[in-house]
Amino acid sequence: VAACKMNVRRKKEYTYAAVTPMTDVSTGEHLDLTSEITNKHPQYVPLWGRLTEELQKSWTLAQDETDVDPSVLESPSVKRDIKSRLQGHAEEAQKELMEQWKIVENALSPTFSGDIVYGPVLQLSCGLWNAITPYCVLKTHFHSGGNAKGTKAIAVSKLLTNFALSIRSVQRARRCLRRLAAGPTAAVHLLHDLKETGCEGWSPQEYPEFLALEIDNDYLMRSVQARVAFEMLDDYGGKTSDDYESDKSNVGNYSSNDYSSDSTHSDADIGSDANSDSDERSSQECHQNRMPQNRTMQMNMGAGKSAVIMPCVLATAGAGRLDPQGAKRLVRATVLSSLYSTNAADWQLKLGGLLDRRVLPLLCRRDLPITEAIAAQLLNTCIAARDRGDVIVTVPEHRLSLENKSLELASEDTSSPDLAASRALQRLLHLSATEGREILDESDEILSPLYQLIYTLGAQLRMEGAPLRWAVHAAIYGTLARYGRVLQQEFGAEVIELTRPVSQDESTGADSHEYPGLRLLDDGSAKADDAYKKICELVVEDVLAGRANGIQTTLTAEELEVFLDCVRGSPDPKLLARINPDRRPQRSDALPQPRQVLALTLRGLLNHDVLRLCLSKRWRVNYGAHPSRPNYDMAVPMKAKDVAAEKNEFGHPDVAVSLTFASYYNGGLSQGQLQSSFTSLMKLPESKRKAVYRQWAERLPAGRKDGIAALEGVNLEDKELFKTKLYPAFHKHMDVINFWLLNKVFPVQAKQFPKKLVATAPDLCRSAALCPAWRAITTGFSGTDDLSLVLPETIKQHNMAELQGTNGVQLRRLLRPENNQYIALRAEEKTMCNDEDTLDTELKFASKNSTEQILDILGTERIIKNKVNVVLDPGALVLQKTNAEFAKSWLGKRPDMETAVFFEDDSIKVLIWGSSNPIPFAVSSYAHDMSKCLLYLDDIHTRGSDFRLPLATRALLTLGKNLPKDKFCQSCMRLRQLGVGQSLTFVASPEVHRVLKLSFFKPDVGRLIVHLDTQSGHILQMDRGSKTAIVHGILLWTLSNTVRRICDLLPYLAGQTVCALRKARAFSELVYGNSTDSSAPGLRNLRLRNTTAAVSTNSMVF
């Protein structure tokens, strides 16, 4: 059983190495990462080569990786033998525990020293002496951090450590018995417990936090987890596996006799300190030869990063355990906002027990008023947290907001400057910069170049060129609605997607009062380029022909030539002079001012691909109206499906306006917004309001005009009429939406500001290389490292030598035959094809959206038989229902299951069969046994969430547009036992299916076993030939998306690096008076690293 040795009388250890063989998860196939994407896009070749080379190395290293094999527990005789040995060990461990407790009781009694002290004896006899209970004495011991001084105190500390080890041994035996009884579900965890001996490479006397967390949370820290924790705690980093072996030999294996005790031992038998003075001097000399450095590292998902390693790192760092001077630091953990509530609650539970550490939030938003008193209170709270060893848990948005808030309060351009409060916040920032220790969980996502926070300063200004600039956007979408069907017929559904089927009475080229939901499926192909050029031509043609409402374009022949040259992006200086872009005195041959605004707006939208960017985004996934933000109606960025970025807005004004139009065209107005539109309409002069309403009504289909054809017949106070007639007819009417946006929203909310404060990802990991005052060390880790090339220049990716095969392990678990199942959702309207041996097999069924199709798939007999009880939605295909609605609908199709688990906001909920009110997952009986649970994880929660699922679970994983490899792998590894019992089935949207079929599935994948389900009409494909051809093609597709994503992020990285340099220079000038002296060498030496090849071959992205 590989149990800890309990005392000198029991030196024999039980081991089951013979029945827990380590098995290689490799499929035995060569990892082929060649793709046609490099032929189509030669500019991606260097970056593709670099990423694939690293994956090949990791794949090779992963051949030596081993894992436990749960099949060894299938033998009844083996299980009986293990159970018998575990029961025997549990009895011995319990006996040893009682003996240790007697020793502790004697040691803590008033007569421990042999000399009777009458004061304590009287207190004991009167019941006033401190209660001696296991929890009280251990909490006192661990809260003091084991920092005992004096002979007697050190002796008692050793006794309490031995007692804690005895508790851990009893827990381990009982835990193994529980997992053995649980069967296959807990088999892997059982074998890991049997394999690990505990305290490998660390001393429980020197690091009592590790031991306290083990016994308080009933787990055993694995050796690799301990090594990662020490690497995270080391300010200098860069240890190799040889260093760890050396440390291990110096510290010793503390699971053996070093902390064994016999019931008859005396105080003098207790050992001495583990590290000698010479060891400390050697460690300090080693540190003097290295510079502290910010770094991130990779560790596989499900290996205990957040549940085990993070609490250990936070507790140990707060105690100042590894600081050379022993100084305590302000420890701050930064997590993703979507994981904040679950992580903070978990760490509060684990750190608040025996260790008695508090978990404190750090909140800062622009709308929260901060006075000098509040800022001083924040500072005092942080100082107290540092001194006490408490931990601060926050999110990137609040940290960046604190940076901006401190500057905003000192600015004269703000409405309420407060210099005293600004100084207090600066003292808080100085404390964290000089005495802080920053830990990042999911660091690759937190440090993405897309993370930035902007504070606008100064008086609001009307958007330049408004309201004509807004009308241009409305005209463009009018053109798209007019020619949507024509464009789809010309370029095909693989390029032009219409989310709203065009009604039968809408003839080709006819005007429609509702937007068809046109989206450009932009994969960079020549066909997509041609489609966008056609759209631009149609827009310009409609504007010049006067078909754009509210835009007059009367031009002479000469002005028309200048106008068209401007719109097409001509760089001729003479042309630019005639349109006065720099506000020079009006020339006699210049275009009239309104025509200049029109020409420049179209030039930016069409020629500079702003419109192309907007048309490629997905409503409710990339943009949408904020569901809960009051008094703000413009579109905002979405972090995931229906998860709006808090207080965030689009920085580019034309992108913000365009996506606002698209959001309301797709979703329509609410009843309150439509009521507001009619209220504004009735305030117009009578003749004008009748003309406007007449224009609205004329575009309605004949069947919807009954009773509302004329404004005179409309009673706005009639709620029934409004609900049954007006709202269905007008809430998606493009003219009504234009009226509301142009009159109610944009004049108030579409504003510009003269100045702005920007905080970016480099502000989360500042370095002393830029400014000596920034001495705080930042370390982080994540399950993926695909974005290491675009990390801020102040931090580097440094994976431990023993974990460099992490990517390879993930791929080997993924590229397995059981994962080679693939379902292609059908498009809205398809033609019949009976060729069952090709990927083009499609059926024509009643039009259903992606959510309905997925629910149909989940209800089929084949899927239920395969135990598909989990849906992972990184592709965001479940758009038409909320998480709760989808879970309820799915549960209705599975009478064999009892509950459905899902996220509601950031809380985990359980919906029980037959109930309509979900309850918290943590307090339900299903938190420890999910064998009767369905699980749905939406887009944003496919990273960082952790559930213990049955071993035979199969998950349905959705594939959506531009899904990168890191997000793909993060989602796959929600199945912690993937490749050793758990498996995947992939579901692709029609858009993704076309891309996979044309560019990533090899020709031999075309010969498939095609299962056509007559109930739902979906296509289930499993390859006859290669065992992993389908999942291999999906992997190449996600890798190509990663390459494209990195190239897209390079301009953001460059801009943020320049911003970080400017901030460092300004701060150095403020603190040191001169930014060019040797105190800030990083200002001169910092260079963009690791991206040279990508930049040189992708200069067009700048």
Side-chain angles (χ1 to χ4, degrees), residues 153 190 295 451 679:
L190 171 62
R295 64 201 182 279
Y451 253 117
T679 301

Side-chain angles (χ1 to χ4, degrees), residues 754-865:
K755 299 178 183 178
K756 63 182 180 181
L757 293 172
V758 182
T760 58
D763 295 321
L764 300 174
C765 53
R766 286 175 169 165
S767 171
L770 295 185
C771 179
W774 295 340
R775 297 191 295 272
I777 302 300
T778 301
T779 53
F781 54 14
S782 180
T784 51
D785 63 350
D786 296 46
L787 298 183
S788 59
L789 293 174
V790 288
L791 286 175
E793 297 304 306
T794 52
I795 195 169
K796 71 174 185 177
Q797 184 79 30
H798 187 281
N799 295 333
M800 294 174 58
E802 62 181 303
L803 297 180
Q804 289 181 359
T806 299
N807 286 324
V809 171
Q810 294 173 6
L811 296 185
R812 288 181 179 273
R813 290 191 172 190
L814 182 62
L815 295 171
R816 296 181 63 89
E818 61 265 29
N819 299 326
N820 206 49
Q821 291 193 11
Y822 172 83
I823 299 173
L825 298 182
R826 65 191 186 280
E828 295 289 340
E829 296 180 355
K830 291 293 180 181
T831 57
M832 179 70 73
C833 176
N834 295 320
D835 185 3
E836 296 188 0
D837 290 328
T838 69
L839 284 174
D840 297 322
T841 306
E842 295 167 342
L843 294 179
K844 185 175 181 180
F845 281 82
S847 178
K848 287 188 177 182
N849 57 49
S850 59
T851 303
E852 293 171 336
Q853 291 186 62
I854 290 175
L855 285 171
D856 287 343
I857 292 170
L858 293 171
T860 58
E861 181 180 353
R862 184 189 188 97
I863 293 297
I864 295 175
K865 185 177 180 181

Side-chain angles (χ1 to χ4, degrees), residues 98-112 129 132-134 137 159-160:
M98 302 307 297
E99 293 176 357
Q100 291 289 338
W101 176 239
K102 290 180 181 178
I103 297 174
V104 171
E105 279 188 312
N106 293 333
L108 297 179
S109 67
T111 58
F112 173 75
W129 186 255
I132 303 177
T133 63
V137 298
L159 291 175
L160 292 175

Side-chain angles (χ1 to χ4, degrees), residues 616-861:
S616 65
K617 291 185 176 293
R618 298 175 65 192
W619 175 54
R620 294 178 60 190
V621 177
N622 305 121
Y623 71 94
H626 200 291
S628 59
R629 184 172 173 181
N631 303 321
Y632 193 82
D633 300 301
M634 295 190 66
V636 297
M638 292 286 182
K639 295 187 293 186
K641 187 204 74 172
D642 290 334
V643 181
E646 183 183 5
K647 299 293 181 182
N648 283 10
E649 303 167 11
F650 287 104
H652 194 291
D654 283 305
V655 171
V657 171
S658 181
L659 293 180
T660 299
F661 274 108
S663 178
Y664 288 102
Y665 287 154
N666 283 296
L669 301 177
S670 66
Q671 292 192 18
Q673 291 165 346
L674 183 60
Q675 186 71 50
S676 175
S677 300
F678 275 100
T679 301
S680 298
L681 176 68
M682 299 307 293
K683 293 179 180 180
L684 298 177
E686 183 177 0
S687 60
K688 187 173 182 179
R689 66 170 175 257
K690 288 183 178 180
V692 172
Y693 185 84
R694 187 183 308 111
Q695 182 182 4
W696 295 354
E698 286 175 353
R699 299 185 62 185
L700 290 175
R704 288 194 174 182
K705 292 182 181 181
D706 187 23
I708 57 173
L711 184 60
E712 293 84 351
V714 175
N715 181 8
L716 296 179
E717 295 183 0
D718 187 343
K719 295 183 179 179
E720 186 65 23
L721 176 68
F722 183 86
K723 183 177 180 180
T724 59
K725 293 282 188 178
L726 294 177
Y727 185 73
F730 290 117
H731 80 286
K732 285 192 175 184
H733 197 298
M734 295 182 67
D735 288 345
V736 179
I737 294 173
N738 293 344
F739 180 84
W740 181 70
L741 291 175
L742 296 175
N743 291 277
K744 299 290 291 183
V745 177
F746 292 151
V748 178
Q749 300 177 21
K751 296 292 186 178
Q752 295 181 176
F753 295 85
K755 299 178 183 178
K756 63 182 180 181
L757 293 172
V758 182
T760 58
D763 295 321
L764 300 174
C765 53
R766 286 175 169 165
S767 171
L770 295 185
C771 179
W774 295 340
R775 297 191 295 272
I777 302 300
T778 301
T779 53
F781 54 14
S782 180
T784 51
D785 63 350
D786 296 46
L787 298 183
S788 59
L789 293 174
V790 288
L791 286 175
E793 297 304 306
T794 52
I795 195 169
K796 71 174 185 177
Q797 184 79 30
H798 187 281
N799 295 333
M800 294 174 58
E802 62 181 303
L803 297 180
Q804 289 181 359
T806 299
N807 286 324
V809 171
Q810 294 173 6
L811 296 185
R812 288 181 179 273
R813 290 191 172 190
L814 182 62
L815 295 171
R816 296 181 63 89
E818 61 265 29
N819 299 326
N820 206 49
Q821 291 193 11
Y822 172 83
I823 299 173
L825 298 182
R826 65 191 186 280
E828 295 289 340
E829 296 180 355
K830 291 293 180 181
T831 57
M832 179 70 73
C833 176
N834 295 320
D835 185 3
E836 296 188 0
D837 290 328
T838 69
L839 284 174
D840 297 322
T841 306
E842 295 167 342
L843 294 179
K844 185 175 181 180
F845 281 82
S847 178
K848 287 188 177 182
N849 57 49
S850 59
T851 303
E852 293 171 336
Q853 291 186 62
I854 290 175
L855 285 171
D856 287 343
I857 292 170
L858 293 171
T860 58
E861 181 180 353

Side-chain angles (χ1 to χ4, degrees), residues 198 847 1008 1044:
S847 178
L1008 301 171
R1044 187 179 295 110

Side-chain angles (χ1 to χ4, degrees), residues 468-485:
L468 179 57
R469 190 171 177 181
W470 307 331
V472 171
H473 290 272
I476 290 174
Y477 282 100
T479 299
L480 296 176
R482 191 174 299 115
Y483 297 105
R485 170 64 69 88

